[in-house]
């Protein structure tokens, strides 16, 4: 089978290998069969290995849905009665967590700060000191909207110092930037199979502390489908997901994890870095400006300013590149017009070189001068 290879420069779903794509083509199986539960058991324990989570203290709980389901589940399930959640908010994905709090009418503090920088640790500490009823601190590892990497180890340490648990949305770093949940002070992290693991969309997972999940049994239940304890308990009892799992996506994820361990944590990190460096190099050669300082960038997303040229039209440039196998993506910053180039997926610096040949052609074709 010959499948066209597209280079996805959007922040997920990412470019996958053919072997991952083809892993979905399997004989039909009822996911209530023991055989399928066995596959999920290994998958769940492999997910723990990706973030170096000790099996005795941490577990992974799978959900059928896109990555946002994890945000919903963690927030609605992990807040004890009468307590508050502190969202350290420097961008669109942390704002999504605030929206979840609002939707469930949960007491929360929206600690907003500049989207161009990581949050200020001293301000977080002051907020925790002044609000002893904060039981959950929440912050994205990587604000995918801008490309800013947040200091989660330090934020987690502050949460623990003030007796709160730390939940981090690691959707756009897990499997790409090495993460050690114990050393990084992360009680709960999350991702979906389509991003760092380079599998398919439809499977999301939360990795977190068993003792806290057990304690959450007695917290108010705020959702039927999206409750962490209920899903965990079902896995513990039966080895299965409570409701129908995304069967084929699970096969793809198992293959993707095999390839993840074959490539290796350090080598994969280095490859994403090399792709990121190639993105910056190509941009500066063409005269594009980026908006986030490189010292605080994750190395996975680059936010690029629209050029001043009157002929610039993102849609047209996008379509030109898309027709030639390269997908670029709009920005997520309300104050500046940007687009994003990302280093997720099974792509290589060579792909970025080829992309910039096409982008240069597009600029010439539409007479866009930088
Ligand atoms: C991609 C992403 C999500 C999930 O988005 P979905 O569209 O629901 O898959 C959540 N958080 C972050 C930081 C992300 O990058």
């Amino acid at each position: 089978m010959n499948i066209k290879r597209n280079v996805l420069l959007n922040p997920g779903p990412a470019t996958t290998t053919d072997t991952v794509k083809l892993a979905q083509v399997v004989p039909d199986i009822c996911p209530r069969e023991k055989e399928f539960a066995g596959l999920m058991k290994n998958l769940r324990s492999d997910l723990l290995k990706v973030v170096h989570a000790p099996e005795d203290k941490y577990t992974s709980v799978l959900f059928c849905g896109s990555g946002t389901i994890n945000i919903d589940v963690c927030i609605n399930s992990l807040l004890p009665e009468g307590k508050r959640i502190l969202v350290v908010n420097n961008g669109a994905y942390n704002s999504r967590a605030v929206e979840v709090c609002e939707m469930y009418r949960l007491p929360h503090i929206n600690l907003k700060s500049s989207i161009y920088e990581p949050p200020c640790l001293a301000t977080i500490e002051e907020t925790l000191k002044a609000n002893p009823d904060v039981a959950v601190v929440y912050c994205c590892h990587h604000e995918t909207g801008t490309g800013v990497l947040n200091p989660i180890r330090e934020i987690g340490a502050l949460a623990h110092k003030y007796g709160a648990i730390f939940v981090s949305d690691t959707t756009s770093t897990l499997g790409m930037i090495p993460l050690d949940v114990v050393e990084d002070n992360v009680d709960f992290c999350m991702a979906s199979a389509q991003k760092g693991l380079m599998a398919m969309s439809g499977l999301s997972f939360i990795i977190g502390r068993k003792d806290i999940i057990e304690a959450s049994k007695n917290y108010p239940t705020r959702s039927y489908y999206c409750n962490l304890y209920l899903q965990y308990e079902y896995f513990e009892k039966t080895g299965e997901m409570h409701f129908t799992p995304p069967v084929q996506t699970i096969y793809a994820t198992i293959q993707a994890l095999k390839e993840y361990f074959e490539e290796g944590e350090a080598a994969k990190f280095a490859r994403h870095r090399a792709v990121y460096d190639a993105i910056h190099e190509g941009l500066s050669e063409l005269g594009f400006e980026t908006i986030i300082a490189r010292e605080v960038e994750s190395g996975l997303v680059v936010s690029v300013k629209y050029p001043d040229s009157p002929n610039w039209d993102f849609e047209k440039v996008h379509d030109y590149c898309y027709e030639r196998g390269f997908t670029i993506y709009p920005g997520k910053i309300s104050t500046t017009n940007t687009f994003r180039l990302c280093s997720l997926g099974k792509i290589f610096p060579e792909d970025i070189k080829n992309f910039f040949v096409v982008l240069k052609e597009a600029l010439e074709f539409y007479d866009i001068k930088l």
Side-chain angles (χ1 to χ4, degrees), residues 11 66-69 71 93 96 140 142 144 169 171-172 192 194-195:
S66 82
T68 304
I69 198 170
I71 305 176
Y93 286 90
R96 190 172 295 179
C140 275
H142 168 212
T144 324
D169 173 356
T171 313
S172 60
S192 54
Q194 67 187 31
K195 291 201 180 179

Side-chain angles (χ1 to χ4, degrees), residues 3 14-26 193-201 247-260 262 346:
I3 312 166
T15 297
T16 59
T17 59
D18 286 354
T19 34
V20 166
K21 291 181 190 81
L22 292 172
Q24 296 176 103
V25 185
V26 288
Q194 67 187 31
K195 291 201 180 179
L197 298 180
M198 310 188 303
M200 300 297 159
S201 52
V247 177
Q248 285 70 21
T249 301
I250 285 174
Y251 281 99
T253 310
I254 290 165
Q255 176 64 25
L257 279 163
K258 191 168 156 246
E259 294 176 18
Y260 172 85
E262 277 164 11
K346 192 72 172 183

Side-chain angles (χ1 to χ4, degrees), residues 154-343:
E154 290 76 11
I155 298 172
L158 284 174
H160 293 163
K161 182 174 169 190
Y162 290 89
I165 66 162
F166 182 48
V167 179
S168 185
D169 173 356
T170 53
T171 313
S172 60
T173 48
L174 191 145
M176 294 180 284
I177 295 180
L179 177 72
D180 180 314
V181 284
V182 177
E183 279 180 20
D184 287 323
N185 300 314
V186 171
D187 300 308
F188 290 87
C189 64
M190 59 185 83
S192 54
Q194 67 187 31
K195 291 201 180 179
L197 298 180
M198 310 188 303
M200 300 297 159
S201 52
L203 176 69
S204 292
F205 52 89
I206 294 167
I207 298 167
R209 274 184 37 200
K210 282 189 208 173
D211 58 337
I212 300 172
I213 301 178
E214 302 269 0
S216 75
K217 182 182 182 178
N218 303 314
Y219 296 176
T221 47
R222 304 171 176 106
S223 170
Y224 177 72
Y225 196 77
C226 296
N227 183 281
L228 184 57
Y229 179 77
L230 289 181
Q231 187 80 324
Y232 163 80
E233 188 198 28
Y234 207 83
F235 265 118
E236 290 300 295
K237 274 197 194 139
T238 66
E240 292 177 15
M241 253 158 112
H242 200 167
F243 305 106
T244 306
V247 177
Q248 285 70 21
T249 301
I250 285 174
Y251 281 99
T253 310
I254 290 165
Q255 176 64 25
L257 279 163
K258 191 168 156 246
E259 294 176 18
Y260 172 85
F261 292 116
E262 277 164 11
E263 184 171 14
E265 182 181 59
K268 189 168 184 294
F269 177 57
R271 179 172 59 75
H272 291 299
R273 273 280 150 174
V275 170
Y276 162 80
D277 288 339
I279 290 173
H280 267 294
E281 202 182 308
L283 286 170
S284 69
E285 258 168 38
L286 290 182
F288 280 98
E289 285 174 42
T290 60
I291 61 151
I292 302 296
R294 279 187 80 163
E295 315 83 80
V296 299
E297 255 178 0
S298 62
L300 297 167
V301 171
V302 180
S303 291
V304 191
K305 230 164 112 178
Y306 278 7
D308 290 329
S309 164
N311 293 342
W312 171 259
D313 181 326
F314 176 78
E315 282 307 317
K316 283 186 184 158
V317 173
H318 165 275
D319 293 354
Y320 189 98
C321 297
Y322 181 77
E323 282 155 19
R324 288 155 184 81
F326 298 95
T327 301
I328 64 175
Y329 202 66
K332 222 179 183 20
I333 296 172
S334 53
T335 46
T336 319
N337 278 323
T338 56
F339 69 95
R340 282 178 286 177
L341 299 177
C342 309
S343 59

Side-chain angles (χ1 to χ4, degrees), residues 32-79:
R32 300 299 175 200
E33 289 299 327
K34 272 199 229 55
E35 184 186 342
F36 197 77
L39 292 176
M40 280 199 289
K41 187 165 184 279
N42 291 334
L43 164 62
R44 290 175 65 212
S45 103
D46 278 347
L47 290 174
L48 295 182
K49 291 186 190 114
V50 173
V51 296
H52 306 281
E55 293 248 2
D56 58 332
K57 295 206 171 66
Y58 285 78
T59 186
S60 63
V61 184
L62 312 180
F63 287 89
C64 184
S66 82
T68 304
I69 198 170
N70 295 326
I71 305 176
D72 187 322
V73 168
C74 281
I75 288 178
N76 90 62
S77 308
L78 292 171
L79 190 66

